[in-house]
């Protein structure tokens, strides 16, 4: 049952990601990317990562993509502008190199380097406590310093965005 | 039964599509969206490894990656708006003032 859901969602995400690359209109690009992110959120739920799935929906598909749509509509882009002066002979080598990259990743995958050390957080253990609670516990104990640094990073990013958006620096 | 390989191959396909998009598109905003797609693909493999290795670190890393991506989107889009205000375009072939 789950495998069918996986295949359906994976197909939708790959097709929408391909549309993201080959579609001309920037607004449609943003909507296709939102679709891809929703598909990835479904995969997170299949992987028993409920908190990450919720954050994916709220932060990525909600906040970041709305920011993209705001900027696209603010700039009022001309669609035809992009084709003008495009580098010749770039598309085919780019797609070829992309396939080469994919083959390289698959070759690394086939070598038996991947399996690592198993941890203590089994699915049954995490579900007995609650996914969000386990993540919260870890964030405020073992990962407290990275968490605080993250808050400073967001603060600096907000100040930087305001400075860049000012008309006269 | 969904194995780890399923997720890693899907993540590799999405990452490759993001790389190809960065290489063939000329609109700065769409290149930025393709970078977000690559970040999402890596996040997916993080969570898949975390699930199959019974670990929590993968999910915590995804949490931090999302924060960095949010900061990056805010600053990057502000830069694109500033460039558009100066040059009236976001086509990266025309934004070459730092090239030579």
């Amino acid at each position: 049952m789950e495998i069918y859901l996986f295949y359906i969602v994976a197909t939708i995400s790959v097709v929408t990601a391909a549309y993201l690359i080959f579609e001309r209109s920037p607004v449609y690009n943003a909507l296709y990317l939102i679709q891809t992110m929703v598909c990835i959120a479904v995969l997170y739920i299949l992987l028993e990562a409920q908190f990450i799935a919720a954050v994916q929906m709220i932060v990525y598909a909600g906040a970041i993509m709305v920011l993209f749509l705001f900027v696209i509509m603010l700039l009022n882009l001309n669609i035809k502008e992009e084709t003008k002066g495009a580098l010749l002979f770039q598309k085919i080598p780019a797609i070829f190199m992309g396939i080469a990259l994919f083959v390289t990743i698959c070759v690394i995958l086939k070598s038996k380097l991947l399996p690592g050390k198993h941890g203590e957080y089994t699915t049954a253990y995490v579900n007995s406590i609650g996914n969000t609670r386990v993540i919260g516990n870890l964030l405020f104990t073992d990962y407290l310093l990275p968490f605080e640094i993250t808050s400073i990073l967001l603060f600096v990013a907000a100040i930087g965005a305001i400075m860049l958006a000012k008309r006269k620096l | 039964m969904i194995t780890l390989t399923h997720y890693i191959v899907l993540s590799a396909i999405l990452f490759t599509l993001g790389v190809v998009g960065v290489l063939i598109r000329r609109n700065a905003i769409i290149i930025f969206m393709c970078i977000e797609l690559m970040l999402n693909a890596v996040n997916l493999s993080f969570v898949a490894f975390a699930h199959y290795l019974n670990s929590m670190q993968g999910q915590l890393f995804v949490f931090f990656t999302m924060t960095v991506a949010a900061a990056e989107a805010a600053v990057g889009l502000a830069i694109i708006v500033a460039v558009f205000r100066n040059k009236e375009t976001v086509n990266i072939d025309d934004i070459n003032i730092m090239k030579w």
Side-chain angles (χ1 to χ4, degrees), chain A residues 21 23 56 81 90 119 143, chain B residues 17 23 25 40 53 57 89:
Chain A
I21 296 173
E23 173 65 46
Q56 167 92 1
E81 194 180 12
Q90 188 169 355
Y143 290 84
Chain B
L17 284 171
L23 290 175
R25 294 309 294 260
N40 262 287
L53 292 178
Q57 269 113 0
T89 180

Side-chain angles (χ1 to χ4, degrees), chain B residues 44-55:
Chain B
L44 180 63
S45 64
F46 259 133
V47 175
F49 273 115
H51 181 252
Y52 283 98
L53 292 178
N54 297 334
S55 166

Side-chain angles (χ1 to χ4, degrees), chain A residues 21-156:
Chain A
I21 296 173
F22 296 111
E23 173 65 46
R24 285 259 162 259
S25 165
V27 177
Y28 286 170
N29 284 132
L31 294 178
Y32 282 126
L33 186 53
I34 290 174
Q35 180 63 54
T36 311
M37 284 166 176
V38 170
C39 290
I40 290 176
V42 173
L43 292 176
Y44 287 161
I45 289 177
L46 275 180
L47 285 167
E48 312 265 347
Q50 291 91 351
F51 175 73
I52 296 295
V55 172
Q56 167 92 1
M57 286 297 292
I58 295 167
V59 174
Y60 256 124
I64 295 182
M65 291 317 293
V66 168
L67 200 63
F68 271 93
L69 279 171
F70 261 139
V71 172
I72 290 167
M73 290 173 183
L74 199 67
L75 298 188
N76 193 17
L77 296 173
N78 190 357
I79 298 173
K80 282 179 188 157
E81 194 180 12
E82 195 179 334
T83 48
K84 177 198 74 175
L87 291 178
L88 286 172
F89 308 120
Q90 188 169 355
K91 254 184 193 173
I92 293 143
I95 292 170
F96 181 73
M97 295 303 272
I99 293 168
L101 175 67
F102 180 66
V103 170
T104 314
I105 295 172
C106 287
V107 167
I108 294 170
L109 191 64
K110 278 213 75 159
S111 67
K112 299 288 179 190
L113 296 171
L114 286 182
K117 209 171 68 179
H118 281 253
E120 56 189 357
Y121 293 95
T122 58
T123 310
Y125 171 71
V126 171
N127 282 344
S128 70
I129 300 175
N131 180 270
T132 311
R133 191 164 177 180
V134 172
I135 289 182
N137 260 333
L138 280 172
L139 269 184
F140 287 104
T141 52
D142 293 354
Y143 290 84
L144 187 61
L145 182 65
F147 186 70
E148 298 293 341
I149 292 172
T150 302
S151 70
I152 297 171
L153 174 75
L154 281 174
F155 182 59
V156 171

Side-chain angles (χ1 to χ4, degrees), chain B residues 50-70:
Chain B
H51 181 252
Y52 283 98
L53 292 178
N54 297 334
S55 166
M56 219 63 202
Q57 269 113 0
Q59 296 188 27
L60 287 161
F61 261 92
V62 169
F63 182 81
F64 291 125
T65 313
M66 280 177 180
T67 327
V68 173

Side-chain angles (χ1 to χ4, degrees), chain B residues 7-65:
Chain B
Y7 285 105
I8 303 303
V9 169
L10 175 63
S11 165
I13 292 171
L14 290 177
F15 189 86
T16 309
L17 284 171
V19 172
V20 172
V22 169
L23 290 175
I24 69 176
R25 294 309 294 260
R26 311 247 63 84
N27 186 332
I29 295 180
I30 293 168
I31 289 176
F32 214 56
M33 281 188 212
C34 291
I35 293 171
E36 296 289 335
L37 180 64
M38 286 153 74
L39 280 170
N40 262 287
V42 175
N43 281 352
L44 180 63
S45 64
F46 259 133
V47 175
F49 273 115
H51 181 252
Y52 283 98
L53 292 178
N54 297 334
S55 166
M56 219 63 202
Q57 269 113 0
Q59 296 188 27
L60 287 161
F61 261 92
V62 169
F63 182 81
F64 291 125
T65 313

